């Protein structure tokens, strides 16, 4: 009893809705508009504000839409002005084919409140197609005994236009035997007939070529031509005759390809070749040629393409039967396509609202339209949804339905609904279409993002490439939709001195952290900052976590040699006496490394040496010492290359070159440079005479120097008391004396002083020591012992010259 009452209540609501819609649109009658085909897109069709009697802006307020039967967007409605214009050029032949008139049905849909305005658009034909014959040449075989007045049907031309723009007349080129008569079929189409005016004489003329012209009634008219080739045959007095002049058949639209449609039959009373009958299609409607196939021997007409009642409901064709003598007979075949329920219902969604806010009152979810392309009961439909959902369907005019909520929704109970709309037709067998709609219930932002860890520790090796991914942070939000979408950001550091923005960046979508610059362990070993996670709710909620970044050291600094310097203008030369004991300290290589840990542990090794085994380098402190006693065979100039290497992975290294001079008791003059030695060792045969002269000159100069030396000594002895001293070179000799004991590096005691002699008048000299048992000059005034060998400093700095003077004081 309760179920019956509820059903009566629903029926009463539907009846009231239809009554209200009927009252609302009682004044809106279906209208017909018209346009010419092929007019430009944007052409004016109608003013719907005026025709519907609506106020300005009411179309936009009520969300008006134009819906056509075939769902093609051919029309455009301006909601502000109410003007209905064309969205594209219309081709009447493409839209309607041979159907005349060509009418496109459409509706104007008003949503708020719901209303439907039905209208039709008549597309008028223009003469944009010329007549076309199916063949370029028509061949007729006419017996020579054909009497005047005999009619010979010709294949008609086809014109895609309709009405007066279709074919109106046929004509043939001037000749003395035939004229053309234009006939009309039952469907209004015209076809030509060739009429014989006088008897043919094959002996006089066996072949005639005529031009057949089809002319339509357009303005201006269009025409098409074909050539008629007439063969005059000998006498054949019996033409084939069909058993029926007209065949009428019905074919189901779901008939398979190759199915037999009809079999025509004709017979000829003649014998031999004049009695052999063959069949051919004489005339076919627009869709005939690619749809049917005629067997020329058996007369069977079969399908070669699937039929579609909704596209072409019927076909007409003419069949000719020819005998071997050239005579023919004709019959017509009408084929009616029988509709079957082969089209499932169609559902088109016009609008869909999702998500639906929870706790909202009755809300419209979707507006859709249903239709079925079949006819009769095959095209009638019913529409339904599941019974266990909080939604109902409300029908309206023109097969429109509205899906609305049946009360408030609760997201905490269910956040998503899958609604299946089922449309079923009443055909046999019944066909149905299902369309699924997912309705989401929107959420309220009541949960803040939560990080997976309260703090993160990340390691990155120094000298990283910019934009290196160094780690990630992650936060989750238990809300849904935008309320659960988390955006990550770097929070301002409490210490503004730290340039956080230039050190790291974060991907706001996934929390990936990147180092913006190449980090240097020697400059910055660790830093920390806070990362925030904010959802996209309204209002937004957020949380934060601590991130600490530790920089790991890399072996990126090679050892740097502090001593001896390698960039000086002149190399540093170490002096080693030939009497040095093994272990004598020659020099010490001093180097540093800017890295830390084992990357800064340095080791030294001798890479190259002029005399292998003569010198050694201590691996841990860089001291260069003699490894054995020096001998006279050892070269006076030694070149050592010391390699300084750190303990990194891979290890980095630097090399330093040492120049060592082996001297006899620090009294040997500075050796000439390698260039001078090479020049002296070069062949000099051409200079022999000059060398002999130079040797004699040097010997004379030496003898003269000895004499002067003896005279000076005698002068000093004779005039020590009153006459004073012999003149000596003036100048200042600094008294920085260095005592080298036997425990240092040399076996005997020496006193030496090193002075610089400039080139600008200053008295700077290099004083090499003399051994105690060497020639000694004793000053008669002071009695002090002076052992010096004075050499200009400029000669020491430029190793390309030999010593030019030696002053023995």
């Amino acid at each position: 009893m309760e179920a019956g009452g509820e059903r009566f209540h629903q029926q009463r609501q539907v009846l009231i809705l239809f009554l209200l819609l009927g009252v609302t649109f009682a004044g809106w009658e279906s209208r017909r508009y018209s346009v010419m085909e092929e007019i430009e897109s944007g052409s004016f069709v109608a003013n719907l504000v005026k025709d519907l009697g609506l106020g300005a802006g009411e179309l936009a307020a009520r969300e008006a839409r134009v819906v056509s039967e075939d769902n093609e967007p051919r029309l455009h409605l301006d909601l502000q002005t109410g003007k209905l214009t064309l969205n594209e050029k219309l081709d009447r032949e493409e839209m309607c084919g041979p159907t005349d008139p060509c009418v496109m049905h459409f509706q104007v849909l008003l949503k708020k409140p719901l209303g439907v305005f039905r209208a039709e658009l008549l597309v008028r034909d223009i003469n944009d197609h010329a007549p076309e014959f199916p063949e370029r040449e028509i061949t007729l075989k006419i017996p020579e005994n054909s009497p005047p007045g005999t009619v010979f049907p010709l294949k008609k031309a086809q014109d895609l236009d309709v009405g007066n723009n279709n074919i109106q007349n046929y004509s043939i080129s001037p000749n003395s035997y035939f004229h053309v008569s234009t006939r009309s079929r039952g469907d209004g189409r015209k076809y030509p007939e060739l009429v014989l005016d006088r008897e043919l004489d094959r002996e006089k003329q066996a072949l005639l070529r005529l031009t057949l012209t089809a002319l339509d009634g357009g303005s201006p008219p269009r025409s098409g031509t074909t050539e008629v080739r007439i063969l005059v045959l000998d006498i054949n007095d019996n033409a084939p005759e069909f058993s029926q002049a007209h065949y009428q058949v019905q074919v189901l639209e779901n008939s398979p390809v190759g199915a037999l449609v009809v079999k025509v039959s004709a017979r000829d009373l003649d014998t031999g070749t004049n009695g052999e009958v063959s069949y051919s299609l004489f005339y076919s409607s627009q869709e005939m040629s690619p749809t049917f196939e005629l067997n020329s021997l058996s007369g069977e007409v079969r399908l070669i393409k699937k039929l579609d009642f909704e596209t072409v409901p019927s076909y007409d064709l003419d069949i000719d039967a020819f005998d071997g003598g050239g005579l023919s007979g004709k019959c017509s075949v009408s084929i009616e396509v029988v509709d079957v329920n082969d089209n499932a219902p169609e559902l088109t969604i016009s609008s869909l609202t999702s998500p639906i806010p929870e706790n909202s009152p009755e809300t419209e979810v979707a507006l859709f339209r249903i239709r079925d392309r079949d006819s009769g009961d095959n095209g009638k439909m019913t529409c339904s949804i599941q019974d266990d959902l909080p939604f109902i369907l409300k029908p309206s005019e023109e097969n429109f339905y509205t899906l609305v909520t049946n009360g408030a929704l609760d997201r905490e109970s269910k956040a998503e609904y899958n609604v299946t709309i089922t449309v079923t037709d009443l055909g046999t067998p019944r066909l149905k279409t299902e369309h699924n709609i997912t309705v989401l219930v929107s959420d309220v932002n009541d949960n803040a993002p939560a990080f997976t860890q309260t703090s993160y520790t990340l390691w990155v090796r120094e000298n990283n490439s910019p934009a290196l991914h160094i780690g990630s942070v992650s936060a989750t939000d238990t809300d849904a939709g935008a309320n659960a979408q988390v955006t990550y950001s770097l929070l301002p550091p409490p210490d503004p001195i730290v340039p956080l923005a230039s050190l790291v960046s974060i991907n706001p979508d996934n929390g990936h952290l990147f180092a913006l610059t190449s980090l240097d362990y020697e400059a910055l070993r660790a830093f920390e900052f806070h990362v925030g996670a904010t959802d996209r709710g309204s209002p937004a909620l957020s949380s934060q976590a601590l991130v600490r970044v530790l920089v790991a050291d890399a072996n990126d600094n090679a050892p740097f040699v502090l001593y001896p310097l390698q960039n000086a203008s002149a190399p540093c030369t170490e002096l080693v006496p030939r009497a040095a004991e093994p272990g004598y300290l020659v020099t010490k290589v001093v180097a540093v490394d800017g890295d830390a840990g084992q990357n800064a542990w340095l080791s030294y090794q001798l890479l190259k040496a002029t005399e292998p085994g003569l010198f050694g380098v201590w691996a841990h402190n860089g001291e260069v010492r003699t490894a054995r006693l020096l001998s006279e065979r050892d070269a006076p100039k030694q070149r050592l290359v010391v390699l300084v290497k750190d303990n990194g992975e891979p290890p980095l290294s630097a090399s330093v070159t040492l120049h060592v001079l082996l001297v006899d008791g620090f009294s040997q003059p500075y050796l000439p440079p390698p260039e001078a030695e090479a020049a002296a060792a070069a062949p000099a045969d051409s200079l022999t005479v000059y060398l002999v002269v130079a040797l004699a000159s040097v010997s004379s100069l030496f003898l003269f120097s000895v004499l002067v030396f003896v005279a000076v000594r005698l002068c000093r002895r004779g005039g020590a008391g009153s006459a004073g001293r012999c003149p000596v070179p003036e100048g200042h000799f600094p008294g920085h004396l260095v005592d080298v004991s036997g425990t240092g590096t040399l076996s005997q005691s020496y006193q030496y002083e090193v002075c610089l002699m400039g080139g600008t008048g200053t008295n700077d000299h290099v004083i090499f020591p003399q051994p105690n048992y060497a020639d000694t000059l004793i000053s008669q005034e002071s009695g002090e012992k002076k052992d010096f060998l004075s050499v200009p400093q400029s000669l020491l700095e430029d190793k390309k010259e030999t010593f030019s003077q030696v002053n023995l004081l």
Side-chain angles (χ1 to χ4, degrees):
M1 188 68 180
E2 292 180 358
E6 184 179 356
R7 186 181 302 108
F8 174 77
H9 180 65
Q10 293 178 350
Q11 292 176 351
R12 185 175 64 180
Q13 288 181 339
V14 173
L15 180 60
I16 292 173
L17 176 62
F18 277 101
L19 289 176
L20 291 175
L21 291 174
V23 172
T24 303
F25 307 114
W28 290 0
E29 299 179 356
S30 178
R31 291 177 179 265
R32 171 174 287 192
Y33 305 96
S34 65
V35 294
M36 299 295 292
E37 69 168 332
E38 300 297 338
I39 63 174
E40 293 297 325
S41 173
S43 298
F44 177 82
V45 176
N47 192 324
L48 295 184
V49 172
K50 179 180 177 182
D51 293 343
L52 296 179
L54 301 176
E58 192 172 352
L59 287 177
R62 297 182 65 179
E63 299 182 10
R65 292 182 55 197
V66 176
V67 181
S68 61
E69 288 292 333
D70 53 1
N71 290 328
E72 293 293 334
R74 294 190 174 98
L75 297 175
H76 172 72
L77 175 60
D78 191 332
L79 299 181
Q80 302 301 324
T81 63
K83 288 184 179 181
L84 185 66
T85 58
L86 292 179
N87 230 3
E88 61 185 10
K89 285 185 178 181
L90 300 181
D91 188 352
R92 191 207 66 79
E93 288 74 21
E94 180 182 349
M95 293 174 58
C96 302
T99 304
D100 188 32
C102 181
V103 178
M104 183 183 76
H105 299 274
F106 68 95
Q107 299 89 29
V108 179
L109 174 64
L110 304 177
K111 287 184 60 177
K112 300 177 181 179
L114 181 64
V116 179
F117 170 71
R118 291 170 293 179
E120 298 175 350
L121 180 63
L122 173 63
V123 182
R124 297 197 300 274
D125 183 52
I126 63 173
N127 191 24
D128 59 341
H129 294 87
E132 292 183 4
F133 286 91
E135 299 175 357
R136 293 184 178 180
E137 183 181 273
I138 300 175
T139 301
L140 294 179
K141 297 179 180 180
I142 301 177
E144 64 178 344
N145 63 340
S146 299
T150 304
V151 177
F152 304 94
L154 298 175
K155 292 186 177 182
K156 68 180 290 296
Q158 293 185 2
D159 194 329
L160 297 181
D161 297 321
V162 296
N164 195 49
N165 293 328
N166 207 314
I167 299 172
Q168 301 297 319
N169 192 22
Y170 291 88
S171 63
I172 201 164
S173 58
N175 65 93
S176 59
Y177 291 98
F178 301 93
H179 74 274
V180 169
S181 176
T182 302
R183 302 294 182 185
S184 297
R185 295 174 51 87
D187 57 359
R189 297 182 180 271
K190 294 178 173 57
Y191 65 94
E193 291 182 344
L194 189 65
V195 181
L196 181 63
D197 292 333
R198 67 188 180 93
E199 290 184 354
L200 300 171
D201 188 356
R202 181 181 178 279
E203 285 68 24
K204 291 183 179 181
Q205 190 172 1
L207 176 64
L208 288 87
R209 292 184 178 275
L210 306 175
T211 301
L212 178 64
T213 303
L215 190 68
D216 63 22
S219 178
R222 293 175 177 263
S223 63
T225 61
T226 186
E227 184 178 71
V228 181
R229 182 170 174 266
I230 300 174
L231 300 176
V232 182
L233 304 177
D234 284 337
I235 295 173
N236 180 24
D237 56 347
N238 288 290
E241 293 182 1
F242 283 91
S243 58
Q244 295 179 225
H246 181 72
Y247 293 82
Q248 190 166 359
V249 295
Q250 291 183 337
V251 182
L252 294 176
E253 68 172 329
N254 62 348
S255 299
V257 175
L260 177 64
V261 178
V262 66
K263 181 177 181 181
V264 298
S265 177
R267 67 172 186 167
D268 195 323
L269 298 178
D270 295 325
T271 60
T273 58
N274 292 331
E276 296 176 358
V277 179
S278 61
Y279 303 91
S280 66
L281 285 176
F282 178 74
Y283 163 77
S284 62
S285 58
Q286 184 178 0
E287 293 293 328
M288 176 61 65
S289 298
T291 306
F292 300 95
E293 181 183 52
L294 173 64
N295 190 311
S296 61
L297 298 179
S298 64
E300 293 179 347
V301 178
R302 294 183 179 273
L303 282 175
I304 60 175
K305 190 179 79 170
K306 295 287 290 183
L307 298 175
D308 188 1
F309 171 83
E310 289 71 28
T311 304
V312 181
S314 63
Y315 298 89
D316 293 314
L317 67 153
D318 291 340
I319 298 178
D320 273 355
F322 292 92
D323 62 16
L327 298 181
S328 64
K330 184 180 66 173
C331 73
S332 61
V333 178
S334 296
I335 302 173
E336 180 184 354
V337 181
V338 180
D339 181 46
V340 297
N341 192 24
D342 61 340
N343 289 284
E346 299 175 3
L347 186 148
T348 303
I349 299 292
S350 298
S351 65
L352 177 63
T353 303
S354 180
I356 302 297
E358 64 178 340
N359 302 322
S360 298
E362 182 176 296
T363 305
E364 178 182 309
V365 178
L367 175 65
F368 61 93
R369 187 185 67 166
I370 62 175
R371 74 165 183 169
D372 196 316
R373 297 179 183 271
D374 295 321
S375 60
D377 289 338
N378 296 333
K380 296 179 180 179
M381 300 163 289
T382 61
C383 186
S384 63
I385 61 173
Q386 305 100 299
D387 294 331
D388 58 345
L389 297 179
F391 301 93
I392 58 173
L393 286 175
K394 293 185 178 181
S396 61
E397 293 183 347
E398 300 293 333
N399 289 330
F400 279 90
Y401 285 81
T402 304
L403 177 67
V404 298
T405 58
N406 189 17
L409 303 179
D410 185 9
R411 181 190 174 276
E412 282 65 32
S413 299
K414 192 170 185 180
E416 179 179 321
Y417 293 90
N418 291 318
V419 181
T420 301
I421 303 175
T422 304
V423 184
T424 307
D425 63 21
L426 302 181
T428 303
R430 294 193 174 190
L431 301 178
K432 70 177 182 179
T433 297
E434 293 183 348
H435 188 88
N436 294 321
I437 296 177
T438 300
V439 181
L440 302 176
V441 182
S442 60
D443 182 46
V444 176
N445 189 27
D446 57 348
N447 290 284
F451 281 93
T452 57
Q453 300 175 216
T454 57
S455 63
Y456 297 81
T457 301
L458 307 178
W459 284 87
V460 59
R461 184 171 292 274
E462 70 169 337
N463 301 321
N464 57 286
S465 59
L468 175 69
H469 177 232
I470 61 175
S472 301
V473 296
S474 177
T476 57
D477 196 321
T478 57
D479 292 326
N483 297 332
Q485 296 178 2
V486 179
T487 301
Y488 302 90
S489 62
L490 298 178
L491 300 180
D495 184 7
I497 300 177
V498 179
L500 182 61
S502 63
L503 293 178
V504 294
S505 68
I506 189 169
N507 189 317
D509 298 323
N510 52 29
H512 290 346
L513 290 166
F514 300 90
L516 294 180
T517 184
S518 179
L519 299 177
D520 188 0
Y521 173 84
E522 288 71 24
L524 181 65
R525 299 192 175 188
F527 60 95
E528 62 183 24
F529 54 91
H530 284 86
V531 175
T534 306
D535 62 25
R536 297 184 180 178
S538 180
L541 301 178
S542 62
S543 61
Q544 62 181 11
L546 177 65
V547 178
R548 180 174 177 82
V549 179
L550 302 179
V551 182
D553 182 50
N555 189 26
D556 60 338
N557 290 285
F560 179 78
V561 178
L562 297 177
Y563 180 82
L565 293 177
Q566 297 297 296
N567 57 354
S569 58
C572 182
T573 302
E574 306 294 339
L575 303 180
V576 177
R578 290 187 179 272
E581 295 290 337
Y584 176 89
L585 176 62
V586 178
T587 186
K588 181 175 182 179
V589 178
V590 181
V592 294
D593 195 313
D595 294 319
Q598 66 178 10
N599 295 329
W601 297 351
L602 301 181
S603 61
Y604 304 81
Q605 66 182 73
L606 184 62
L607 188 61
K608 294 181 181 180
T610 303
E611 295 286 340
L614 180 57
F615 299 93
V617 179
W618 285 27
H620 299 296
N621 59 13
E623 291 182 353
V624 179
R625 296 178 179 271
T626 57
R628 61 174 174 80
L629 287 173
L630 279 69
S631 65
E632 295 296 329
R633 290 179 299 176
D634 293 330
K637 189 182 75 169
Q638 299 287 327
R639 182 175 177 270
L640 308 179
V641 178
V642 178
L643 180 69
V644 185
K645 182 172 64 176
D646 62 24
N647 197 36
E649 185 63 30
L652 301 179
S653 62
S655 62
V656 57
T657 301
L658 304 178
H659 296 276
V660 179
L661 292 181
L662 305 183
V663 295
D664 292 328
F666 290 102
S667 62
Q668 182 177 348
Y670 196 81
L671 294 178
E675 293 82 353
E677 295 178 359
D685 294 338
S686 60
L687 301 178
T688 304
V689 176
Y690 298 101
L691 291 177
V692 171
V693 174
L695 182 59
S697 301
V698 171
S699 300
S700 301
L701 181 62
F702 176 74
L703 179 59
F704 176 75
S705 300
V706 170
L707 295 176
V708 171
F709 175 72
V710 172
V712 170
R713 293 190 64 180
L714 294 175
C715 181
R716 285 184 177 179
R717 290 179 181 178
S722 60
R725 337 172 171 66
C726 293
V728 294
E730 296 180 359
H732 174 70
F733 295 94
H736 305 291
L737 302 179
V738 180
D739 176 55
V740 182
S741 63
T743 59
T745 57
L746 302 179
S747 59
Q748 301 181 29
S749 297
Y750 285 83
Q751 287 184 342
Y752 65 93
E753 180 177 0
V754 178
C755 304
L756 297 179
M757 185 171 77
T760 58
T762 59
N763 295 325
D764 298 331
H765 296 77
V766 175
I767 309 300
F768 286 90
Q770 291 290 335
N772 291 336
Y773 49 82
D775 294 335
T776 303
L777 296 180
I778 304 299
S779 174
Q780 296 179 0
E781 291 184 345
S782 60
E784 295 177 352
K785 179 178 66 176
K786 294 185 178 180
D787 306 323
F788 294 106
L789 183 66
S790 178
V791 181
Q793 173 62 19
S794 59
L795 298 182
L796 289 177
E797 294 177 351
D798 187 4
K799 294 184 179 181
K800 296 181 181 180
E801 299 180 1
T802 57
F803 291 100
S804 61
Q805 64 179 8
V806 177
N807 296 323
L808 182 61
L809 303 180

